[in-house]
Amino acid sequence: MTLHAPECAASVQPGQFVHLRVATGSDIILRRPFSIHRAYGERVEILYQILGTGTLLMAEKPVGDESMDLVGPLGHGWRAPEGIAHALFVTGGLGAAPLGMLAEQLAAHGVAVSVAMGAPTKERLVARELFENVARQVLVATDDGSDGEHGFVTVPAARLLAEERFDVVYTCGPEPMQRAIAALAADAGVPCQISLERLMACGIGACLSCVVLTVDGLKRACVDGPVFDAAEVTWKS
Amino acid sequence: MSGSIDMRVNLAGLELRNPVTVASGTFASGREFADFVDLSRLGAIVTKGVSLGPWAGNASPRIAETASGMLNSIGLQNPGVEAFVVKDLAWLAENAATTPVIVNVSGHSVEEYAAVIERLEDESGVAGYEVNISCPNVDAGGMAFGSECAPAAAVTRACRAVTKRPMLVKLSPNVTDIVSIAQSVEAEGADGLSLVNTLLGMAIDAETRKPLLARVVGGLSGPAIKPVALRMVWQVSNAVAIPIIGMGGVMNATDAVEFMLAGATAVAVGTANFVDPTVTMRVVDGLVEYCHRHGVTDVRDLIGGLEA
Ligand SMILES: Cc1cc2nc3c(=O)[nH]c(=O)nc-3n(C[C@H](O)[C@H](O)[C@H](O)COP(=O)(O)OP(=O)(O)OC[C@H]3O[C@@H](n4cnc5c(N)ncnc54)[C@H](O)[C@@H]3O)c2cc1C
Ligand SMILES: Cc1cc2nc3c(=O)[nH]c(=O)nc-3n(C[C@H](O)[C@H](O)[C@H](O)COP(=O)(O)O)c2cc1C
Ligand code: FES
């Protein structure tokens, strides 16, 4: 979905999100958070899947509809340290959404990008074209084997980490996947950043609904994240 | 902008430039909203709950959306009064100096409530207190104090003993007879009341057969609770002499007017801040507009103006 949002498009950093009001005056009152996939001109693009009432309503909106408003860009995005030469992206399903802009920007700055992308099935692999346009290599894995390797994306990711030298790993996807990638990156001695999803009411740091347990105590995913250093996060056992 | 209309109200000894405040826990300490709201246009800022030491709050998930409302079980997560003074009060003093700051106070015991207030008594940036005896999301303290007259009176008495500043007590709607609790709190020296905190509720995912909140039950807020809140403000205002901040589902100026007609001196905007971070400004403007449209020159004329 592409949204007309000039101010947001002008200031967005990769990994930030928008908080969308999908309906007014109905049962749905809270906004919905969505990662900004790409921004160009006066527009921002999001990728979403229909999950419940809110996303269903979004899918039914006609082109040009003006009933939605957005707050954003919000949150703390990906960090790209100076001097990185080779970055590994690992995505699971819609976890590819917040990584689109970053892949384009890094590639434009001459950073080599490798991508391992996974999804349950071929149809759920998103943003593949974008990655193939900018990355040096794109490895694909599907749980059902309908495309690429048969199995979890952790397998090609582990292979890449063993065979090549990376300066940073960026990952987003289901939390167990992120956790596995964080462990692989730690074993390989490569810094890893993850983008975490939490239920969010306010999106601006006020309500404390989105907390993440870190080595420095509770942090808020909406303003301290959604991107965190993997080493900072304390996973629930 | 308010032209010839006098928007000022006196709330328990506090001079407010208009009757629009924010509900505790939905506005943090104002900083998060500074990009969206001109804090100097609010009648008062009510902070999130502050306790003596740090509280970690409850496990996640902590919120669930429900029909025209939301459930929360945040559990009063806060860094404690010392950190609050250093970080939040200092910020407020610099950035919202002309707006009275009301600190929402929590405790596990009567002594803890009083201790938080004692610690804040030396701080010049505090205009008054809102003693929260109504949080449904903590096991010890919270709602337990607000559910019966005797403990509600005891907390009020202990807090009254340590401050002369304006002190409001925030009551729970999860009781059989809110009027008697309001009266017992008034008798112990409360200067005003905040009505109401969240209604105890729960939500279930039929597919997974699991509760949506980690703590199973939580507090319901938003438009869904407005009729209950209005009724309680109306009942209590007819039975006490002290002023009331009305809250529960205020989404716009019309809702605010309704609470004032029911007997509230001021209103607090809560969950609506999540839906639209600029909502408080719309409520202030809308209230002025309502007064113009109805030929009201003093906003106080709305208080208890219900024609029944
Ligand atoms: C920072 C961030 C970025 C996100 N980016 C994307 C994206 O790019 N594409 C995408 O498809 N989805 C994304 N999500 C998840 C997306 O917000 C939910 O899928 C969506 O809110 C579901 O709404 P619904 O009304 O269809 O579902 P319902 O189940 O009816 O939603 C009810 C409530 O839960 C919240 N909610 C439900 N699921 C989630 C979830 N997984 N994460 C956060 N809040 C949720 C909603 O905001 C709402 O308050 C992101 C979530 C976060 C926190
Ligand atoms: C996320 C959240 C956190 C809250 N935290 C507090 C709190 O710390 N102290 C308190 O007295 N009330 C707290 N409340 C209750 C609100 O201040 C208010 O009484 C209630 O939400 C009803 O108003 P509303 O429907 O406008 O939100 C909280 C409410 C919400 C939704
Ligand atoms: S969503 Fe409210 S604090 Fe993060």
Side-chain angles (χ1 to χ4, degrees), chain A residues 150-192:
Chain A
H150 192 168
F152 289 146
V153 69
T154 39
V155 178
R159 205 168 55 237
L160 281 172
L161 278 164
E163 287 168 2
E164 303 192 31
R165 235 194 70 83
F166 295 97
D167 304 303
V168 58
V169 176
Y170 298 107
T171 184
C172 183
E175 212 154 299
M177 179 215 111
Q178 296 198 38
R179 190 175 172 169
I181 298 301
L184 288 170
D187 286 346
V190 183
C192 177

mmCIF file of all heavy atoms in Angstrom, chain A residues 150-192:
data_model
loop_
_atom_site.group_PDB
_atom_site.id
_atom_site.type_symbol
_atom_site.label_atom_id
_atom_site.label_comp_id
_atom_site.label_asym_id
_atom_site.label_seq_id
_atom_site.Cartn_x
_atom_site.Cartn_y
_atom_site.Cartn_z
ATOM 1 N N HIS A 150 14.590 -26.133 0.796
ATOM 2 C CA HIS A 150 13.503 -26.639 1.620
ATOM 3 C C HIS A 150 13.914 -26.517 3.085
ATOM 4 O O HIS A 150 14.877 -27.135 3.507
ATOM 5 C CB HIS A 150 13.230 -28.107 1.249
ATOM 6 C CG HIS A 150 11.962 -28.625 1.833
ATOM 7 N ND1 HIS A 150 11.401 -29.807 1.447
ATOM 8 C CD2 HIS A 150 11.139 -28.118 2.775
ATOM 9 C CE1 HIS A 150 10.279 -30.006 2.138
ATOM 10 N NE2 HIS A 150 10.112 -28.994 2.944
ATOM 11 N N GLY A 151 13.216 -25.673 3.853
ATOM 12 C CA GLY A 151 13.546 -25.575 5.277
ATOM 13 C C GLY A 151 13.627 -24.138 5.745
ATOM 14 O O GLY A 151 13.204 -23.221 5.046
ATOM 15 N N PHE A 152 14.141 -23.975 6.950
ATOM 16 C CA PHE A 152 14.206 -22.646 7.550
ATOM 17 C C PHE A 152 15.329 -21.804 6.962
ATOM 18 O O PHE A 152 16.358 -22.337 6.540
ATOM 19 C CB PHE A 152 14.399 -22.743 9.068
ATOM 20 C CG PHE A 152 13.191 -23.238 9.793
ATOM 21 C CD1 PHE A 152 13.332 -24.031 10.938
ATOM 22 C CD2 PHE A 152 11.908 -22.926 9.363
ATOM 23 C CE1 PHE A 152 12.224 -24.488 11.621
ATOM 24 C CE2 PHE A 152 10.791 -23.376 10.042
ATOM 25 C CZ PHE A 152 10.958 -24.164 11.171
ATOM 26 N N VAL A 153 15.137 -20.491 7.001
ATOM 27 C CA VAL A 153 16.116 -19.547 6.461
ATOM 28 C C VAL A 153 17.404 -19.549 7.288
ATOM 29 O O VAL A 153 18.456 -19.118 6.827
ATOM 30 C CB VAL A 153 15.500 -18.126 6.389
ATOM 31 C CG1 VAL A 153 15.291 -17.552 7.784
ATOM 32 C CG2 VAL A 153 16.346 -17.194 5.551
ATOM 33 N N THR A 154 17.310 -20.083 8.496
ATOM 34 C CA THR A 154 18.511 -20.151 9.334
ATOM 35 C C THR A 154 19.606 -21.006 8.679
ATOM 36 O O THR A 154 20.790 -20.789 8.932
ATOM 37 C CB THR A 154 18.161 -20.760 10.711
ATOM 38 O OG1 THR A 154 17.233 -21.820 10.514
ATOM 39 C CG2 THR A 154 17.532 -19.719 11.621
ATOM 40 N N VAL A 155 19.217 -21.955 7.826
ATOM 41 C CA VAL A 155 20.218 -22.844 7.218
ATOM 42 C C VAL A 155 21.105 -22.086 6.222
ATOM 43 O O VAL A 155 22.328 -22.052 6.395
ATOM 44 C CB VAL A 155 19.531 -24.079 6.578
ATOM 45 C CG1 VAL A 155 20.563 -24.975 5.903
ATOM 46 C CG2 VAL A 155 18.745 -24.846 7.639
ATOM 47 N N PRO A 156 20.527 -21.420 5.203
ATOM 48 C CA PRO A 156 21.406 -20.626 4.331
ATOM 49 C C PRO A 156 22.101 -19.487 5.073
ATOM 50 O O PRO A 156 23.247 -19.140 4.739
ATOM 51 C CB PRO A 156 20.466 -20.080 3.251
ATOM 52 C CG PRO A 156 19.082 -20.286 3.745
ATOM 53 C CD PRO A 156 19.140 -21.444 4.701
ATOM 54 N N ALA A 157 21.434 -18.921 6.087
ATOM 55 C CA ALA A 157 22.066 -17.829 6.844
ATOM 56 C C ALA A 157 23.314 -18.334 7.558
ATOM 57 O O ALA A 157 24.370 -17.686 7.536
ATOM 58 C CB ALA A 157 21.076 -17.235 7.839
ATOM 59 N N ALA A 158 23.202 -19.517 8.164
ATOM 60 C CA ALA A 158 24.349 -20.089 8.873
ATOM 61 C C ALA A 158 25.487 -20.373 7.906
ATOM 62 O O ALA A 158 26.667 -20.141 8.206
ATOM 63 C CB ALA A 158 23.930 -21.375 9.587
ATOM 64 N N ARG A 159 25.124 -20.851 6.714
ATOM 65 C CA ARG A 159 26.153 -21.171 5.713
ATOM 66 C C ARG A 159 26.905 -19.907 5.306
ATOM 67 O O ARG A 159 28.127 -19.878 5.260
ATOM 68 C CB ARG A 159 25.473 -21.824 4.509
ATOM 69 C CG ARG A 159 26.401 -22.726 3.719
ATOM 70 C CD ARG A 159 25.640 -23.582 2.729
ATOM 71 N NE ARG A 159 24.817 -22.819 1.820
ATOM 72 C CZ ARG A 159 23.500 -22.984 1.664
ATOM 73 N NH1 ARG A 159 22.866 -23.900 2.372
ATOM 74 N NH2 ARG A 159 22.832 -22.254 0.802
ATOM 75 N N LEU A 160 26.123 -18.844 5.039
ATOM 76 C CA LEU A 160 26.764 -17.578 4.638
ATOM 77 C C LEU A 160 27.701 -17.072 5.733
ATOM 78 O O LEU A 160 28.821 -16.636 5.463
ATOM 79 C CB LEU A 160 25.698 -16.515 4.333
ATOM 80 C CG LEU A 160 25.009 -16.620 2.978
ATOM 81 C CD1 LEU A 160 23.854 -15.632 2.883
ATOM 82 C CD2 LEU A 160 26.009 -16.362 1.847
ATOM 83 N N LEU A 161 27.221 -17.130 6.982
ATOM 84 C CA LEU A 161 28.036 -16.628 8.100
ATOM 85 C C LEU A 161 29.317 -17.443 8.259
ATOM 86 O O LEU A 161 30.344 -16.917 8.688
ATOM 87 C CB LEU A 161 27.218 -16.659 9.400
ATOM 88 C CG LEU A 161 26.280 -15.465 9.618
ATOM 89 C CD1 LEU A 161 25.256 -15.768 10.703
ATOM 90 C CD2 LEU A 161 27.081 -14.205 9.977
ATOM 91 N N ALA A 162 29.250 -18.741 7.894
ATOM 92 C CA ALA A 162 30.433 -19.584 8.027
ATOM 93 C C ALA A 162 31.415 -19.334 6.893
ATOM 94 O O ALA A 162 32.631 -19.408 7.080
ATOM 95 C CB ALA A 162 30.015 -21.055 8.057
ATOM 96 N N GLU A 163 30.879 -19.005 5.718
ATOM 97 C CA GLU A 163 31.743 -18.941 4.522
ATOM 98 C C GLU A 163 32.291 -17.547 4.243
ATOM 99 O O GLU A 163 33.330 -17.411 3.607
ATOM 100 C CB GLU A 163 30.945 -19.403 3.290
ATOM 101 C CG GLU A 163 30.695 -20.899 3.262
ATOM 102 C CD GLU A 163 29.663 -21.286 2.196
ATOM 103 O OE1 GLU A 163 29.192 -20.386 1.467
ATOM 104 O OE2 GLU A 163 29.336 -22.481 2.120
ATOM 105 N N GLU A 164 31.548 -16.523 4.669
ATOM 106 C CA GLU A 164 31.969 -15.173 4.278
ATOM 107 C C GLU A 164 32.151 -14.285 5.496
ATOM 108 O O GLU A 164 31.715 -14.615 6.590
ATOM 109 C CB GLU A 164 30.934 -14.561 3.311
ATOM 110 C CG GLU A 164 30.721 -15.442 2.082
ATOM 111 C CD GLU A 164 29.946 -14.718 0.996
ATOM 112 O OE1 GLU A 164 30.076 -13.490 0.887
ATOM 113 O OE2 GLU A 164 29.197 -15.413 0.279
ATOM 114 N N ARG A 165 32.770 -13.136 5.248
ATOM 115 C CA ARG A 165 33.001 -12.183 6.336
ATOM 116 C C ARG A 165 31.972 -11.071 6.269
ATOM 117 O O ARG A 165 31.843 -10.393 5.243
ATOM 118 C CB ARG A 165 34.404 -11.571 6.178
ATOM 119 C CG ARG A 165 35.281 -11.719 7.402
ATOM 120 C CD ARG A 165 36.489 -10.801 7.275
ATOM 121 N NE ARG A 165 36.087 -9.391 7.398
ATOM 122 C CZ ARG A 165 35.912 -8.779 8.555
ATOM 123 N NH1 ARG A 165 36.130 -9.430 9.669
ATOM 124 N NH2 ARG A 165 35.532 -7.507 8.600
ATOM 125 N N PHE A 166 31.234 -10.889 7.328
ATOM 126 C CA PHE A 166 30.254 -9.795 7.383
ATOM 127 C C PHE A 166 30.612 -8.830 8.514
ATOM 128 O O PHE A 166 31.206 -9.230 9.520
ATOM 129 C CB PHE A 166 28.842 -10.355 7.631
ATOM 130 C CG PHE A 166 28.343 -11.203 6.491
ATOM 131 C CD1 PHE A 166 28.462 -12.592 6.532
ATOM 132 C CD2 PHE A 166 27.754 -10.611 5.384
ATOM 133 C CE1 PHE A 166 28.011 -13.369 5.482
ATOM 134 C CE2 PHE A 166 27.299 -11.390 4.326
ATOM 135 C CZ PHE A 166 27.435 -12.771 4.372
ATOM 136 N N ASP A 167 30.232 -7.576 8.309
ATOM 137 C CA ASP A 167 30.477 -6.578 9.356
ATOM 138 C C ASP A 167 29.242 -6.371 10.222
ATOM 139 O O ASP A 167 29.330 -5.837 11.321
ATOM 140 C CB ASP A 167 30.870 -5.243 8.718
ATOM 141 C CG ASP A 167 32.070 -5.407 7.817
ATOM 142 O OD1 ASP A 167 33.113 -5.874 8.326
ATOM 143 O OD2 ASP A 167 31.959 -5.117 6.611
ATOM 144 N N VAL A 168 28.085 -6.763 9.697
ATOM 145 C CA VAL A 168 26.849 -6.551 10.442
ATOM 146 C C VAL A 168 25.765 -7.482 9.887
ATOM 147 O O VAL A 168 25.767 -7.805 8.696
ATOM 148 C CB VAL A 168 26.410 -5.067 10.363
ATOM 149 C CG1 VAL A 168 26.217 -4.617 8.924
ATOM 150 C CG2 VAL A 168 25.144 -4.783 11.168
ATOM 151 N N VAL A 169 24.865 -7.908 10.782
ATOM 152 C CA VAL A 169 23.703 -8.693 10.359
ATOM 153 C C VAL A 169 22.441 -7.899 10.728
ATOM 154 O O VAL A 169 22.323 -7.407 11.846
ATOM 155 C CB VAL A 169 23.652 -10.070 11.063
ATOM 156 C CG1 VAL A 169 22.381 -10.827 10.679
ATOM 157 C CG2 VAL A 169 24.876 -10.897 10.727
ATOM 158 N N TYR A 170 21.536 -7.757 9.763
ATOM 159 C CA TYR A 170 20.239 -7.122 10.021
ATOM 160 C C TYR A 170 19.158 -8.173 9.853
ATOM 161 O O TYR A 170 19.115 -8.844 8.818
ATOM 162 C CB TYR A 170 19.980 -6.003 9.007
ATOM 163 C CG TYR A 170 20.971 -4.865 9.045
ATOM 164 C CD1 TYR A 170 21.923 -4.712 8.037
ATOM 165 C CD2 TYR A 170 20.947 -3.936 10.085
ATOM 166 C CE1 TYR A 170 22.833 -3.656 8.061
ATOM 167 C CE2 TYR A 170 21.843 -2.885 10.115
ATOM 168 C CZ TYR A 170 22.786 -2.738 9.104
ATOM 169 O OH TYR A 170 23.663 -1.702 9.140
ATOM 170 N N THR A 171 18.278 -8.300 10.855
ATOM 171 C CA THR A 171 17.267 -9.332 10.703
ATOM 172 C C THR A 171 15.901 -8.902 11.229
ATOM 173 O O THR A 171 15.792 -8.157 12.198
ATOM 174 C CB THR A 171 17.704 -10.664 11.366
ATOM 175 O OG1 THR A 171 16.718 -11.662 11.100
ATOM 176 C CG2 THR A 171 17.858 -10.522 12.874
ATOM 177 N N CYS A 172 14.865 -9.361 10.530
ATOM 178 C CA CYS A 172 13.497 -9.150 10.991
ATOM 179 C C CYS A 172 12.640 -10.305 10.510
ATOM 180 O O CYS A 172 12.767 -10.764 9.379
ATOM 181 C CB CYS A 172 12.932 -7.827 10.474
ATOM 182 S SG CYS A 172 11.268 -7.483 11.104
ATOM 183 N N GLY A 173 11.781 -10.775 11.393
ATOM 184 C CA GLY A 173 10.916 -11.913 11.066
ATOM 185 C C GLY A 173 10.311 -12.412 12.361
ATOM 186 O O GLY A 173 10.365 -11.719 13.373
ATOM 187 N N PRO A 174 9.742 -13.619 12.344
ATOM 188 C CA PRO A 174 9.171 -14.152 13.585
ATOM 189 C C PRO A 174 10.230 -14.181 14.691
ATOM 190 O O PRO A 174 11.409 -14.405 14.406
ATOM 191 C CB PRO A 174 8.756 -15.574 13.194
ATOM 192 C CG PRO A 174 8.686 -15.571 11.705
ATOM 193 C CD PRO A 174 9.636 -14.542 11.216
ATOM 194 N N GLU A 175 9.803 -13.987 15.934
ATOM 195 C CA GLU A 175 10.790 -13.832 17.012
ATOM 196 C C GLU A 175 11.707 -15.049 17.201
ATOM 197 O O GLU A 175 12.913 -14.872 17.423
ATOM 198 C CB GLU A 175 10.087 -13.441 18.320
ATOM 199 C CG GLU A 175 10.977 -12.549 19.168
ATOM 200 C CD GLU A 175 10.213 -11.641 20.117
ATOM 201 O OE1 GLU A 175 9.421 -10.809 19.637
ATOM 202 O OE2 GLU A 175 10.437 -11.749 21.334
ATOM 203 N N PRO A 176 11.201 -16.284 17.092
ATOM 204 C CA PRO A 176 12.117 -17.427 17.226
ATOM 205 C C PRO A 176 13.213 -17.414 16.152
ATOM 206 O O PRO A 176 14.369 -17.760 16.416
ATOM 207 C CB PRO A 176 11.203 -18.647 17.049
ATOM 208 C CG PRO A 176 9.828 -18.146 17.348
ATOM 209 C CD PRO A 176 9.802 -16.707 16.947
ATOM 210 N N MET A 177 12.834 -16.973 14.941
ATOM 211 C CA MET A 177 13.821 -16.871 13.869
ATOM 212 C C MET A 177 14.875 -15.816 14.197
ATOM 213 O O MET A 177 16.077 -16.043 14.069
ATOM 214 C CB MET A 177 13.118 -16.528 12.555
ATOM 215 C CG MET A 177 14.059 -16.380 11.390
ATOM 216 S SD MET A 177 13.496 -15.096 10.246
ATOM 217 C CE MET A 177 14.736 -13.853 10.512
ATOM 218 N N GLN A 178 14.408 -14.656 14.671
ATOM 219 C CA GLN A 178 15.354 -13.585 15.005
ATOM 220 C C GLN A 178 16.316 -14.034 16.093
ATOM 221 O O GLN A 178 17.502 -13.719 16.079
ATOM 222 C CB GLN A 178 14.598 -12.345 15.491
ATOM 223 C CG GLN A 178 13.726 -11.730 14.432
ATOM 224 C CD GLN A 178 13.342 -10.293 14.796
ATOM 225 O OE1 GLN A 178 14.146 -9.558 15.342
ATOM 226 N NE2 GLN A 178 12.136 -9.909 14.485
ATOM 227 N N ARG A 179 15.765 -14.765 17.033
ATOM 228 C CA ARG A 179 16.581 -15.242 18.135
ATOM 229 C C ARG A 179 17.653 -16.211 17.636
ATOM 230 O O ARG A 179 18.818 -16.140 18.051
ATOM 231 C CB ARG A 179 15.660 -15.938 19.132
ATOM 232 C CG ARG A 179 16.315 -16.269 20.408
ATOM 233 C CD ARG A 179 15.278 -16.832 21.355
ATOM 234 N NE ARG A 179 15.952 -17.336 22.540
ATOM 235 C CZ ARG A 179 15.306 -17.690 23.641
ATOM 236 N NH1 ARG A 179 13.994 -17.605 23.685
ATOM 237 N NH2 ARG A 179 15.957 -18.129 24.675
ATOM 238 N N ALA A 180 17.267 -17.087 16.711
ATOM 239 C CA ALA A 180 18.220 -18.045 16.154
ATOM 240 C C ALA A 180 19.305 -17.320 15.358
ATOM 241 O O ALA A 180 20.496 -17.641 15.467
ATOM 242 C CB ALA A 180 17.485 -19.060 15.260
ATOM 243 N N ILE A 181 18.904 -16.322 14.594
ATOM 244 C CA ILE A 181 19.883 -15.571 13.796
ATOM 245 C C ILE A 181 20.832 -14.796 14.717
ATOM 246 O O ILE A 181 22.043 -14.732 14.489
ATOM 247 C CB ILE A 181 19.167 -14.600 12.817
ATOM 248 C CG1 ILE A 181 18.296 -15.379 11.826
ATOM 249 C CG2 ILE A 181 20.171 -13.727 12.077
ATOM 250 C CD1 ILE A 181 19.037 -16.386 10.962
ATOM 251 N N ALA A 182 20.250 -14.227 15.785
ATOM 252 C CA ALA A 182 21.088 -13.486 16.736
ATOM 253 C C ALA A 182 22.150 -14.405 17.326
ATOM 254 O O ALA A 182 23.312 -14.013 17.480
ATOM 255 C CB ALA A 182 20.217 -12.896 17.845
ATOM 256 N N ALA A 183 21.765 -15.658 17.614
ATOM 257 C CA ALA A 183 22.716 -16.608 18.185
ATOM 258 C C ALA A 183 23.801 -16.964 17.165
ATOM 259 O O ALA A 183 24.995 -17.026 17.494
ATOM 260 C CB ALA A 183 21.985 -17.870 18.638
ATOM 261 N N LEU A 184 23.386 -17.174 15.903
ATOM 262 C CA LEU A 184 24.355 -17.486 14.851
ATOM 263 C C LEU A 184 25.348 -16.338 14.665
ATOM 264 O O LEU A 184 26.558 -16.551 14.534
ATOM 265 C CB LEU A 184 23.642 -17.751 13.519
ATOM 266 C CG LEU A 184 22.855 -19.058 13.403
ATOM 267 C CD1 LEU A 184 22.019 -19.051 12.121
ATOM 268 C CD2 LEU A 184 23.813 -20.246 13.407
ATOM 269 N N ALA A 185 24.823 -15.112 14.667
ATOM 270 C CA ALA A 185 25.678 -13.937 14.481
ATOM 271 C C ALA A 185 26.646 -13.812 15.645
ATOM 272 O O ALA A 185 27.846 -13.538 15.452
ATOM 273 C CB ALA A 185 24.824 -12.676 14.343
ATOM 274 N N ALA A 186 26.130 -14.047 16.860
ATOM 275 C CA ALA A 186 26.996 -13.951 18.039
ATOM 276 C C ALA A 186 28.126 -14.970 17.950
ATOM 277 O O ALA A 186 29.291 -14.660 18.224
ATOM 278 C CB ALA A 186 26.172 -14.163 19.306
ATOM 279 N N ASP A 187 27.787 -16.209 17.520
ATOM 280 C CA ASP A 187 28.809 -17.250 17.372
ATOM 281 C C ASP A 187 29.864 -16.839 16.361
ATOM 282 O O ASP A 187 31.044 -17.159 16.491
ATOM 283 C CB ASP A 187 28.163 -18.573 16.909
ATOM 284 C CG ASP A 187 27.393 -19.224 18.044
ATOM 285 O OD1 ASP A 187 27.595 -18.790 19.206
ATOM 286 O OD2 ASP A 187 26.580 -20.132 17.775
ATOM 287 N N ALA A 188 29.413 -16.138 15.306
ATOM 288 C CA ALA A 188 30.343 -15.737 14.252
ATOM 289 C C ALA A 188 31.057 -14.429 14.611
ATOM 290 O O ALA A 188 31.882 -13.932 13.857
ATOM 291 C CB ALA A 188 29.586 -15.580 12.926
ATOM 292 N N GLY A 189 30.679 -13.863 15.751
ATOM 293 C CA GLY A 189 31.325 -12.627 16.188
ATOM 294 C C GLY A 189 30.921 -11.407 15.377
ATOM 295 O O GLY A 189 31.677 -10.441 15.274
ATOM 296 N N VAL A 190 29.718 -11.439 14.807
ATOM 297 C CA VAL A 190 29.260 -10.319 13.982
ATOM 298 C C VAL A 190 28.141 -9.580 14.726
ATOM 299 O O VAL A 190 27.202 -10.213 15.192
ATOM 300 C CB VAL A 190 28.729 -10.827 12.617
ATOM 301 C CG1 VAL A 190 28.315 -9.647 11.732
ATOM 302 C CG2 VAL A 190 29.769 -11.691 11.922
ATOM 303 N N PRO A 191 28.214 -8.248 14.841
ATOM 304 C CA PRO A 191 27.130 -7.500 15.487
ATOM 305 C C PRO A 191 25.813 -7.694 14.734
ATOM 306 O O PRO A 191 25.803 -7.778 13.503
ATOM 307 C CB PRO A 191 27.570 -6.035 15.384
ATOM 308 C CG PRO A 191 28.958 -6.027 14.907
ATOM 309 C CD PRO A 191 29.277 -7.372 14.330
ATOM 310 N N CYS A 192 24.729 -7.785 15.492
ATOM 311 C CA CYS A 192 23.443 -8.102 14.865
ATOM 312 C C CYS A 192 22.374 -7.137 15.371
ATOM 313 O O CYS A 192 22.299 -6.834 16.557
ATOM 314 C CB CYS A 192 23.065 -9.543 15.234
ATOM 315 S SG CYS A 192 21.464 -10.086 14.617
#
